[in-house]
Amino acid sequence: MITISVTDHISDNPFVTLPFYRDGKPVSGARWGMTLRKAGSMRFRWNETNENRTTVLQKICGEKQPVPLELIHSKIVYAISSAADTQNKTGDGMITVNRMLVPVVTVADCMPLFLYEPKTGVFGACHSGWKGTGIIAEAISLAQKNYGARVEDILVAIGPHIHDCCYTVDEERARYFSEQFTPDSVQRIADKDGVHYQLSLEKANLSVLARAGIRDENIVTAKDCTSCAQDAGGEYPFGSFRRQAAFAPGNLTTEARSKLMTVQAAFCGWIE
């Protein structure tokens, strides 16, 4: 497995794009990436218009077509052949072999997951919050079923997300991850404030990938925590629910609270 710092690849662009890896070496073809906090909110709802999102994605995708999906924290993945295939649909992942498409999901502490299988050409993006942990296995299964992808050839990238340094959960959620995924995804901490648990979505998802048969040397994972990572200038490059919205006044509605965070677009496709 290759570990990288996305922060180290930030330029003047309001987004980053990076390659997949095979046997520890970068692979040409489809790339994965995400917008940064300075790009502004990439929030998406079918009943809303976000002109900023449209402008930024057009710059990223060029002649390619970004394909949106309204997220619901599920494990639903669509195999698509055109942008119209997700129209008015909800779910959390898309895969395709159409190089003119760029699947786009949104994240703000949740984990973006990307896959690419060079031999069949299938690629895609998934959004995985804690409820959706395991969605990458669904995407892998769909890539095998619909496109004939071989699991030993599938490359996976784990993008920036909230890490265990900042992700504290209650005992019930800690037990769920320990039992359903892997015990080492949870760390029990006892301090002056009592007992709490720190959750590693990375370790949970690596266990999912291992069970699915993905080769460790075909995985690249970002070490950046969206909640606390800073760039060389001391700025927070990523949007974060935990940092920007989680501790807002308690009388705010969930919808109002969600608008306080800088939602990022996570994308995968044949882009520069």
Side-chain angles (χ1 to χ4, degrees):
M1 181 177 66
I2 295 293
T3 300
I4 63 169
S5 170
V6 171
T7 305
D8 291 343
H9 292 81
I10 292 175
S11 63
D12 292 334
N13 288 325
F15 59 90
V16 290
T17 66
L18 294 158
F20 289 88
Y21 283 76
R22 177 196 287 123
D23 297 327
K25 299 178 181 179
V27 174
S28 62
R31 293 172 65 87
W32 61 275
M34 63 192 298
T35 60
L36 302 170
R37 186 170 66 91
K38 62 184 176 182
S41 177
M42 298 293 112
R43 175 184 165 94
F44 178 79
R45 300 287 189 278
W46 287 115
N47 63 349
E48 296 178 1
T49 299
N50 185 342
E51 294 181 1
N52 178 62
R53 173 190 166 98
T54 301
T55 300
V56 173
L57 289 180
Q58 185 175 37
K59 180 178 180 180
I60 294 170
C61 299
E63 64 179 5
K64 309 294 172 59
Q65 177 68 48
V67 184
L69 188 62
E70 186 167 330
L71 308 184
I72 53 172
H73 294 269
S74 68
K75 297 178 186 177
I76 298 172
V77 182
Y78 296 99
I80 61 174
S81 58
S82 73
D85 289 344
T86 64
Q87 186 68 36
N88 294 321
K89 290 183 178 179
T90 58
D92 289 83
M94 292 167 278
I95 61 172
T96 186
V97 292
N98 186 342
R99 295 187 184 184
M100 294 305 296
L101 303 181
V102 180
V104 183
V105 295
T106 52
V107 290
D109 284 344
C110 291
M111 176 181 283
L113 289 152
F114 313 91
L115 68 81
Y116 173 45
E117 201 277 87
K119 291 184 179 180
T120 61
V122 62
F123 60 92
C126 296
H127 157 269
S128 178
W130 76 268
K131 292 181 181 178
T133 301
I135 188 173
I136 190 62
E138 298 297 324
I140 291 166
S141 177
L142 195 61
Q144 293 173 295
K145 177 181 178 182
N146 283 36
Y147 304 109
R150 298 197 311 167
V151 69
E152 59 266 34
D153 295 323
I154 293 176
L155 315 177
V156 174
I158 298 175
H161 59 281
I162 191 169
H163 284 231
D164 53 357
C165 53
C166 295
Y167 195 11
T168 302
V169 299
D170 59 26
E171 184 177 3
E172 181 181 1
R173 190 174 303 181
R175 185 183 305 111
Y176 169 77
F177 272 83
S178 179
E179 293 175 352
Q180 296 297 317
F181 301 103
T182 176
D184 68 354
S185 66
V186 176
Q187 184 177 6
R188 183 180 184 273
I189 305 294
D191 55 25
K192 62 181 179 60
D193 297 319
V195 175
H196 58 277
Y197 301 85
Q198 291 176 295
L199 174 60
S200 171
L201 292 174
E202 178 183 318
K203 289 181 179 179
N205 277 275
L206 287 174
S207 73
V208 172
L209 292 173
R211 292 176 193 173
I214 301 298
R215 297 170 62 205
D216 186 67
E217 54 266 41
N218 289 348
I219 301 171
V220 56
T221 182
K223 67 180 183 180
D224 315 83
C225 173
T226 48
S227 181
C228 69
Q230 296 179 323
D231 60 22
E235 297 294 325
Y236 293 108
F238 306 107
S240 165
F241 174 78
R242 182 62 58 102
R243 189 183 68 249
Q244 296 178 294
F247 305 108
N251 60 350
L252 287 182
T253 65
T254 301
E255 182 69 8
R257 195 179 299 270
S258 71
K259 292 182 178 181
L260 295 176
M261 60 185 174
T262 308
V263 179
Q264 299 149 117
F267 49 85
C268 182
W270 289 75
I271 50 183
E272 297 298 326

